[in-house]
Amino acid sequence: MSRACAEVSLSAITHNLKLIKNKTDAQVLAVVKADAYGHGLLPVAIAAQAAGADWLGTALLEEAIELRKGGINKPIIAWLTPLGEDFKTAINLDIDLGVSSVELLEQIIDAAKAVKKIARVHLEVDTGMSRGGVLDEWDRLVASILAAVEAKQIKVIGIWSHFARADEPNEEMNQAQIKLFDEKIDLAVKAGINAQFLHIANTAASLSNKLSHKNIIRFGIGLYGLSPDVGNMGDSKSLGLKPAMKLKAKLNLVKSVSAGASVGYGGTAVTKSETKLGVVTLGYADGIPRNTNNLAGVFVDGNRAPIIGRVSMDQFVVDLGINSSAKTGDEVIVFGDGAAGEYTIDEWAKAAGTINYEIVTRIGPRVPRIYPRE
Ligand SMILES: *Cc1c(COP(=O)(O)O)cnc(C)c1O
């Protein structure tokens, strides 16, 4: 290993996919947006497809195109496509498109006419999150699609929505969203639109509410072995999930300092006693959160060494302790599944006041993703 790497266990991805397959009668869509939550788009998609994923899903169209060109032959949905995207290529590559506005629908119809091929779409209804999908315009959307369906320009493959609070399984809002979803589907059916697939569940709903599964579940964070909400739903282990990413780096330098040494920019930390410090070869430019505290750190030489001082752009400092035998050049584990005693992604998230999703997705492109043979 050179400076740093993120090791991704594809057998963990396989395990997590199979675990959810065994818990549902619905088809499983592996969510691989944002470079597979930082784990590497194609290797993860290929592993998920081999493990039985029925669908692949991305937010951005360019990632969906990369999947198709990379050999993924299962259905792929791209659900966040602003106006003006390359819908002709999407249709030619049999990429399903999420439709979140009447304006978008019009552009997709135009592209379908131009390439003389039926566009496969999934209509998005806003059931309460007030983010993507149409709300009051549902009737108008449904009405404006009928002619295009008739003219074989569009096929409505799915109708879908998204939960705002699925990671709080007892929240009443979840039931209200399902109810509204069902009502909107009824309206579409009455208007003559029969979508084969209905989907609303993310990982949290997939794990906690079978009634929400409909006939596709969109499995994201769980695929990577992480809990949607440690507090409400338990950690990876209690959910039977295996975290797939292990982040490694090196000690660029180990040095002894006396008590009272000021460490890092701003002098925000001062050593309490004589100790050894280790300089780790990763920084906020690599996605290490700048505002962490000593609740996170690295695992080296069989021990945890907490962060001391502020994280810099390319490096951060850990307190190894006076008795550490760690030396310049040693490899460290920044986070992993915790099995050896290393910090977990959840611990890093807590230390930085964020969620595990953000910790893994923002590991930057300077950090190579490695897929060890298992
Ligand atoms: C990201 C995303 C998901 C997956 O959510 P998880 O909580 O990671 O399972 C599902 N559906 C949509 C529309 C998303 O954007």
Side-chain angles (χ1 to χ4, degrees), residues 139-296:
D139 291 343
R140 197 179 138 217
L141 180 75
V142 166
S144 57
I145 210 165
L146 286 171
V149 171
E150 197 78 353
K152 299 244 185 313
Q153 291 151 352
I154 289 269
K155 184 165 168 130
V156 181
I157 304 291
I159 297 176
W160 67 287
S161 190
H162 194 52
F163 285 116
R165 304 184 69 173
D167 53 354
E168 301 162 274
N170 297 325
E171 207 24 76
E172 279 173 25
M173 186 174 180
N174 294 312
Q175 295 317 316
Q177 284 197 256
I178 293 177
K179 185 161 171 281
L180 192 55
F181 187 46
D182 290 340
E183 286 169 15
K184 297 288 183 172
I185 293 163
D186 267 357
L187 288 174
V189 171
K190 290 209 177 87
I193 291 177
N194 278 301
Q196 188 186 351
F197 293 102
L198 307 171
H199 44 110
I200 184 168
N202 55 5
T203 297
S206 302
L207 291 170
S208 64
N209 181 5
K210 209 164 179 191
L211 293 174
S212 73
H213 288 197
K214 305 295 181 183
N215 48 17
I216 302 176
I217 56 175
R218 302 189 304 265
F219 195 57
I221 197 74
L223 182 62
Y224 307 97
L226 300 174
S227 168
D229 187 306
V230 178
N232 291 328
M233 307 194 58
D235 61 7
S236 301
K237 199 167 180 186
S238 69
L239 294 168
L241 297 167
K242 292 188 179 168
M245 190 189 284
K246 179 189 269 186
L247 183 64
K248 291 175 161 182
K250 277 187 175 167
L251 292 180
N252 203 42
L253 181 61
V254 171
K255 71 178 88 175
S256 298
V257 295
S258 50
S262 162
V263 183
Y265 287 121
T268 58
V270 173
T271 53
K272 290 200 179 67
S273 54
E274 189 185 349
T275 189
K276 285 183 190 169
L277 300 181
V279 183
V280 181
T281 53
L282 280 170
Y284 61 75
D286 302 297
I288 301 294
R290 178 168 175 273
N291 284 315
T292 325
N293 52 36
N294 62 6
L295 297 175

Side-chain angles (χ1 to χ4, degrees), residues 235-237 241-246 299 302-304 333-347:
D235 61 7
S236 301
K237 199 167 180 186
L241 297 167
K242 292 188 179 168
M245 190 189 284
K246 179 189 269 186
F299 189 71
N303 290 296
R304 288 180 164 206
I333 302 175
V334 180
F335 58 66
D337 65 9
E342 74 270 33
Y343 291 94
T344 62
I345 295 164
D346 289 325
E347 284 177 291

Side-chain angles (χ1 to χ4, degrees), residues 6-9 37-39 224 242-247 335-337 345 359-361 363 369:
E7 270 184 21
V8 175
S9 164
Y37 288 44
H39 293 65
Y224 307 97
K242 292 188 179 168
M245 190 189 284
K246 179 189 269 186
L247 183 64
F335 58 66
D337 65 9
I345 295 164
I359 296 293
V360 288
T361 52
I363 299 303
R369 272 57 172 180

